[in-house]
Amino acid sequence: MMILVDDIVMMNRWVRFAVLQTLILLTTGKWIVLAALAGVIVGIPVAAFLLLLDAGSGAVRQWQWYFLLVPLGLFLSSFLVNWLAPDAQGHGTEKVIEALHEKEGMMRLRVIPVKMVATLITLILGGSAGKEGPSAQIGAGVASGVASMLRMTPIDRQRFVQCGISAGFAGVFGTPIAAALFAAEVLHIGRFSYNRFLPSLIASYSALIVTRVLGVSHLSYNVPVQIETEIIMLLHMIGFGALLGLMAILLVSGLTRTEHLVERIPLWKPLKGALAGLVLVGIVFLTGTTNYLGVGTGVVDAALDGEAFRGIAPFFKIITTSLTLGSGGSGGILGPIFFIGATSGNYWAQILGQSVGMFSAIGMVAFLAAAANTPIAAIMMAMELFGVATGSYAAVACAVAYLVVGHVSVYPSQIIHQKKPFFMDLEVHQVEQVFDRRGIINLFRSFFRGYRDNPGRGLSLEGRTIEEESQGSGDTDDRMDY
């Protein structure tokens, strides 16, 4: 009888395993199919957007004085967005993050054509912004519409819409792994969503294939690795990463302050855009170059090829981007981020007597790690674009920049799940953040004493072990990660 009972128990365990494993395989297969579909339906409009942008920019820039059209571009962009779809305002990825956190991934289909047209007008006529944000918002909007047609559950819709971000990113930059990591990393600070990684990865590759078939070309770079010694290079990366973290704070501050300043101007919004456009025209006459207008891809390419740029370049790009996006222009933020990071690295290399091309490449991705709080995606992007050798050094700069920037981001809707070390130390050791004379002295005293006056407790992990989960015991964790 005992043997029979043991056999029944063993059989039940095998039945449970077989059923669960079958459903796991079916779920994995389901998301491979859905993600591939997302890549296709996103890749087509993204390819159309990129091809129209290249054609329009090429045509307009044949005229030497094209920058005089910037006020008209910002006026029309602001008018279209405010009239037809206010959700399309600003840099698109932030709106997608906001929709995922607050609206279960629901986005209005009207956003897609409005965002596409407004961004084309902004960028073709000389506004300073990027092209990845609109691509992500277009992709997420298409995915949201298809999710509604397929009557997906809210959690499935969120995952499907998240595929739109990775597909848009991959379609623009041609880096599918970095795109998937970006999608899984960008929603939160201190948390990586493994649940989203496979769908995002499949969607990225699918969109990449579609955009290439439709004629979109993605750049690849050959950046030579030139170092003195490993130790010196490591020290350079630590210092450079800290510098880029501070630069990222300056960028976010510029974007925020400009937006608030423009809001206080008592004018109709499209007129504010035209006014900001006139300032951009003034910057062109002041600097004698149009380098700080548009996406800035040409400057980034030249910096990576070893051409030297002045130290004022990143600061003027911060100004022109803040004016463009803060006054109603439509576009992304990663293009300017790459410009600022690359030109910062370019000038830093000139000061230190290092490889200009290599530091430009590292600056480009490390500034992304800081400004967007996505260090893992930035490291992988370095490896996909520049090779493992450059990426391995960039990893140090990315990690340092990510920590130095603190809880600051170009995406204010990011949710903080795990605080960065300094803020975690203050919380665990219960150190008050008071900024009068006594409070400041107490903050520094606590730091230099290693917080030993109030050691607090170590961090404990929440959740269940694999053994507990397999036995089906204990309470479930009600926190969900879509």
Side-chain angles (χ1 to χ4, degrees), residues 254-418:
L255 291 169
T256 304
R257 290 177 180 274
T258 302
E259 185 176 350
H260 291 165
L261 176 64
V262 171
E263 286 178 354
R264 291 198 295 267
I265 298 176
L267 288 175
W268 185 37
K269 278 190 175 182
L271 290 180
K272 295 179 185 180
L275 180 62
L278 290 175
V279 177
L280 294 185
V281 172
I283 289 175
V284 173
F285 284 115
L286 175 66
T287 60
T289 179
T290 58
N291 282 347
Y292 311 121
L293 301 183
V295 178
T297 305
V299 172
V300 173
D301 292 344
L304 294 173
D305 286 337
E307 182 179 334
F309 286 91
R310 295 180 294 174
I312 62 171
F315 300 101
F316 271 111
K317 190 63 174 178
I318 290 175
I319 294 171
T320 58
T321 302
S322 299
L323 286 169
T324 298
L325 297 177
S327 65
S330 180
I333 190 64
L334 294 194
I337 283 175
F338 292 155
F339 182 109
I340 296 165
T343 51
S344 296
N346 186 285
Y347 191 66
W348 192 245
Q350 295 176 56
I351 294 174
L352 298 178
Q354 299 295 313
S355 169
V356 171
M358 185 177 179
F359 268 69
S360 297
I362 293 173
M364 173 178 156
V365 295
F367 197 64
L368 170 64
N373 284 293
T374 54
I376 301 175
I379 293 168
M380 179 53 66
M381 184 174 225
M383 294 184 179
E384 287 188 286
L385 287 178
F386 312 121
V388 175
T390 300
S392 62
Y393 293 113
V396 178
C398 288
V400 173
Y402 168 74
L403 293 180
V404 169
V405 75
H407 294 159
V408 173
S409 176
V410 293
Y411 304 126
S413 294
Q414 284 178 327
I415 293 177
I416 302 173
H417 277 283
Q418 186 179 82

Side-chain angles (χ1 to χ4, degrees), residues 16 20 461-477:
R16 179 178 183 272
L20 292 178
L461 299 179
E462 299 180 2
R464 296 192 288 170
T465 65
I466 291 177
E467 182 180 7
E468 291 170 340
E469 182 69 21
S470 65
Q471 294 174 354
S473 61
D475 297 330
T476 59
D477 186 354

Side-chain angles (χ1 to χ4, degrees), residues 80-357:
L80 282 175
V81 169
N82 284 279
W83 177 37
L84 297 175
D87 290 348
Q89 187 173 354
H91 49 98
T93 306
E94 165 62 15
K95 292 297 182 181
V96 180
I97 296 173
E98 185 179 301
L100 285 167
H101 285 326
E102 300 177 6
K103 304 175 185 177
E104 297 180 335
M106 290 292 295
M107 300 181 68
R108 294 193 301 168
L109 288 176
R110 182 187 299 179
V111 169
I112 301 169
V114 173
K115 188 67 178 180
M116 181 180 291
V117 174
T119 303
L120 288 172
I121 291 173
T122 299
L123 296 180
I124 289 173
L125 298 186
S128 175
K131 52 189 177 181
E132 90 301 326
S135 298
Q137 193 168 6
I138 291 167
V142 171
S144 178
V146 173
S148 298
M149 290 174 56
L150 298 177
R151 301 178 64 185
M152 290 185 183
T153 62
I155 193 169
D156 278 358
R157 184 195 304 115
Q158 287 171 315
R159 289 174 182 156
F160 196 65
V161 168
Q162 194 67 13
C163 289
I165 293 181
S166 61
F169 190 109
V172 172
F173 299 117
T175 54
I177 304 176
L181 292 171
F182 183 84
E185 194 178 16
V186 73
L187 293 186
H188 314 99
I189 294 177
R191 186 176 187 177
F192 185 89
S193 178
Y194 294 94
N195 288 341
R196 284 189 296 273
F197 182 63
L198 176 62
S200 297
L201 186 63
I202 299 298
S204 296
Y205 274 106
S206 179
L208 178 65
I209 293 170
V210 169
T211 52
R212 284 181 174 173
V213 168
L214 294 177
V216 175
S217 59
H218 301 101
L219 298 177
S220 60
Y221 302 97
N222 182 22
V223 178
V225 178
Q226 300 175 3
I227 62 172
E228 298 176 24
T229 66
E230 298 283 348
I231 295 177
I232 293 177
M233 191 62 181
L234 179 62
L235 293 175
H236 282 324
M237 290 300 98
I238 293 172
F240 187 36
L243 172 67
L244 291 177
L246 298 176
M247 287 289 293
I249 295 173
L250 183 62
L251 170 63
V252 175
S253 177
L255 291 169
T256 304
R257 290 177 180 274
T258 302
E259 185 176 350
H260 291 165
L261 176 64
V262 171
E263 286 178 354
R264 291 198 295 267
I265 298 176
L267 288 175
W268 185 37
K269 278 190 175 182
L271 290 180
K272 295 179 185 180
L275 180 62
L278 290 175
V279 177
L280 294 185
V281 172
I283 289 175
V284 173
F285 284 115
L286 175 66
T287 60
T289 179
T290 58
N291 282 347
Y292 311 121
L293 301 183
V295 178
T297 305
V299 172
V300 173
D301 292 344
L304 294 173
D305 286 337
E307 182 179 334
F309 286 91
R310 295 180 294 174
I312 62 171
F315 300 101
F316 271 111
K317 190 63 174 178
I318 290 175
I319 294 171
T320 58
T321 302
S322 299
L323 286 169
T324 298
L325 297 177
S327 65
S330 180
I333 190 64
L334 294 194
I337 283 175
F338 292 155
F339 182 109
I340 296 165
T343 51
S344 296
N346 186 285
Y347 191 66
W348 192 245
Q350 295 176 56
I351 294 174
L352 298 178
Q354 299 295 313
S355 169
V356 171

